[in-house]
Amino acid sequence: MTDTKPPVRRRLWIESSAAALFLLATILAVVNPAWLEAVLPVEPDGGSGSTEWGLVLVTGMFALGLSLAAAREWRRGAAAQTP
């Protein structure tokens, strides 16, 4: 019986987990954009919300990049298994 699952490294799970955390942070920042002022006693953008939307953009880009890296790692494992 042959194993049909591709061999994956720990790197896949790290990238996938980090992507999920960044995606969660992005969703939370979209749902509650004023979270930074609620957590910290400062308003870095003077209450305009630009800092929070910048964080949404940054965390979203990290989530996307890590997702793509995890997909590449998965394909690497699948390619290593094909004869």
Side-chain angles (χ1 to χ4, degrees), residues 19-61:
L21 289 174
F22 277 112
L23 180 61
L24 179 64
T26 303
I27 292 169
L28 290 175
V30 169
V31 170
N32 185 11
W35 70 271
L36 192 60
E37 284 86 4
V39 173
L40 301 174
V42 297
E43 290 188 18
D45 54 9
S48 72
S50 61
T51 300
E52 288 85 354
W53 288 111
L55 288 173
V56 167
L57 180 65
V58 169
T59 57
M61 294 302 288

Side-chain angles (χ1 to χ4, degrees), residues 3-32:
D3 187 15
T4 59
K5 292 182 183 179
V8 293
R9 297 185 293 185
R10 185 181 314 164
R11 178 178 177 163
L12 171 73
W13 302 114
I14 293 170
E15 290 169 344
S16 298
S17 300
L21 289 174
F22 277 112
L23 180 61
L24 179 64
T26 303
I27 292 169
L28 290 175
V30 169
V31 170
N32 185 11

Side-chain angles (χ1 to χ4, degrees), residues 11-12 15-16 18-20 60-76:
R11 178 178 177 163
L12 171 73
E15 290 169 344
S16 298
M61 294 302 288
F62 272 115
L64 178 63
L66 286 165
S67 296
L68 292 173
R72 184 183 62 231
E73 182 67 22
W74 180 261
R75 285 191 305 272
R76 182 210 59 84

